[in-house]
Amino acid sequence: MALPAAHARSRERVLRICATGSTGSASGSGGSGAPSRSGGSGRFDATDATGASGGDAHTLRVRLLREFRALLGAEAFAFLLTDPVTSVGCAPVARVPVLPELPRLIRLKYLTRADRWTSLAGAAALSGLPEDERGPLWEELLRPAGVRDVASAVFRDRFGCWGFLDLWRYGAEFGPADLAYLDAVAGPVTEALRRAQSEAFPARPPGADRPGPLVLLLSPDLRVRGQTPGAPAYLAGLIPPEEGRAPIPAAAYNVAAQLLAREAGVDPNPARARVHLADGLWLTLRAARIDDGPGAEGPTPLDREIAVTIEETTPADRLDVFCRAHGLTGRETELLGHLADGADTGAAALAMSLSAHTVQDHLKSVFAKTGTRHRRGLLARALGT
């Protein structure tokens, strides 16, 4: 459908934001650069947070949210990056209803099938579904909190899923023009998010800190039960907390909620997410139930606590995100994998059944897409070594 004039003008502004990425000014927020409470509502406002996670993807989403909210009038929102393979959320920019209910909100979000980002083919509004089909998030939390409607969009391309967006309204429903607008900007936003993630791969500085495995222990309803000493510092890096407050482990909640969704048969993807922290450091979060240890038989009971591990992303997993974020072709990705294993041009050509000349052509394309000039620099960025 043809967009109304206001929506069309906003789309042009979004295209400009996406073209400039996070390099445009992020001023005018009226914020202090830190998460803040929104009045007495108990909502968490992270739109002005300067979180390192996701690098420039954070500023990009802040700018896009200002435009979306100015046009669509969303009082609350959640704009998450996702692991491109598992689609599990991480690094949220959000203002959510009722902050103390954040673990419950995330758990119900992952357990809700209606308009789930992993199955969306285009923007959708919850008001388009009968109330008895809207799922547990609406029934148990959003409707009692006074939410009138939710518009959802996913940002996915052939390289993976890069993020999803929920916009919540309290006063009115979203209309067809609103959803058409979100569909019209989805492609440019997806490309901008992927491009921003590609910028999160500087080579790791020599002697940089490499965290050992950290653990966060959650109850079955995602309440924090305990954590290893180093965990809070990394969680604070993912979402900087308000001064004097404990970090909000939103990334851990998302991974654990995906475990619950997998157990419930809602979504089969692994409970895993890779996220950029800072200075080229990528972390992998995984969730698993605490079991009875070696020799235990049968499935782990669903009332067991959930352990979320946080550790540096392996070179192979980092390489996978690097190739996807830079839009490498299958052959280019295969070549980079051989180079990462130590192959030279001749060995790579033999393994790929190509001529050395063709391998060199592929390598030149990889250099151009990744902004590198030689193999050493390319591998340092891709592998983080």
Side-chain angles (χ1 to χ4, degrees):
M1 62 176 294
L3 294 177
H7 293 67
R9 289 192 296 269
S10 178
R11 178 181 178 274
E12 293 305 311
R13 290 191 292 269
V14 167
L15 293 180
R16 289 196 292 271
I17 292 171
C18 291
T20 59
S22 61
T23 60
S25 171
S27 62
S29 63
S32 62
S36 61
R37 297 275 177 184
S38 176
S41 66
R43 300 173 196 155
F44 178 70
D45 189 354
T47 54
D48 298 319
T50 54
S53 177
D56 288 344
H58 180 94
T59 305
L60 171 66
R61 286 177 291 155
V62 168
R63 298 182 69 207
L64 288 170
L65 276 167
R66 292 195 189 111
E67 186 61 40
F68 294 157
R69 295 180 65 208
L71 176 71
L72 303 177
E75 291 93 343
F77 48 86
F79 196 169
L80 283 78
L81 301 179
T82 54
D83 183 293
V85 175
T86 67
S87 301
V88 176
C90 52
V93 176
R95 174 184 291 171
V96 300
V98 197
L99 179 59
E101 296 289 341
L102 181 62
R104 184 176 173 220
L105 185 151
I106 294 175
R107 177 175 60 84
L108 293 173
K109 169 68 177 176
Y110 277 75
L111 291 174
T112 294
R113 298 177 188 270
D115 292 345
R116 201 177 196 274
W117 69 101
T118 49
S119 58
L120 279 180
L126 211 56
S127 57
L129 296 173
E131 286 209 14
D132 60 357
E133 296 181 12
R134 297 181 185 180
L137 177 59
W138 168 261
E139 183 64 30
E140 298 180 31
L141 198 148
L142 296 184
R143 185 172 64 175
V147 173
R148 178 73 178 274
D149 199 6
V150 181
S152 300
V154 63
F155 306 105
R156 182 191 299 113
D157 61 16
R158 63 192 179 93
F159 302 105
C161 180
W162 300 100
F164 70 84
L165 170 70
D166 281 345
L167 298 171
W168 293 313
R169 274 184 180 174
Y170 290 83
E173 295 179 350
F174 292 95
D178 300 326
L179 301 184
Y181 164 82
L182 290 174
D183 280 336
V185 301
V189 170
T190 300
E191 184 177 353
L193 287 174
R194 179 168 60 79
R195 187 172 61 246
Q197 287 293 68
S198 74
E199 297 170 359
F201 286 92
R204 296 281 285 137
D209 178 45
R210 296 189 178 277
L214 306 169
V215 179
L216 193 73
L217 196 63
L218 303 178
S219 67
D221 61 354
L222 307 190
R223 303 289 174 175
V224 177
R225 292 278 179 85
Q227 55 194 344
T228 51
Y234 285 94
L235 294 171
L238 291 171
I239 304 180
E242 293 180 80
E243 185 176 355
R245 293 185 180 274
I248 297 174
Y253 292 153
N254 277 264
V255 175
Q258 176 61 25
L259 176 65
L260 300 180
R262 183 181 173 91
E263 292 172 339
V266 173
D267 183 80
N269 284 327
R272 184 192 70 171
R274 294 164 291 185
V275 57
H276 177 240
L277 182 67
D279 299 326
L281 175 60
W282 281 76
L283 301 177
T284 297
L285 290 83
R286 293 183 176 86
R289 293 277 184 180
I290 299 294
D291 61 23
D292 291 323
E297 297 181 358
T300 303
L302 300 185
D303 61 352
R304 296 292 174 86
E305 293 177 327
I306 298 170
V308 176
T309 59
I310 307 169
E311 55 190 327
E312 184 174 5
T313 301
T314 65
D317 275 343
R318 179 187 171 107
L319 178 64
D320 174 69
V321 181
F322 180 88
C323 293
R324 293 172 182 274
H326 286 91
L328 300 191
T329 66
R331 277 302 211 183
E332 291 165 352
T333 298
E334 182 184 359
L335 170 59
L336 193 47
H338 289 305
L339 298 181
D341 289 337
D344 59 15
T345 298
L350 183 63
M352 298 173 70
S353 299
L354 298 174
S355 70
H357 178 75
T358 301
V359 166
Q360 285 295 105
D361 285 343
H362 284 313
L363 187 56
K364 289 178 183 178
S365 178
V366 171
F367 285 154
K369 290 180 179 180
T370 60
T372 52
R373 296 184 177 181
H374 50 75
R375 299 186 193 196
R376 181 184 302 174
L378 171 65
L379 293 176
R381 290 188 59 214
L383 302 177
T385 56

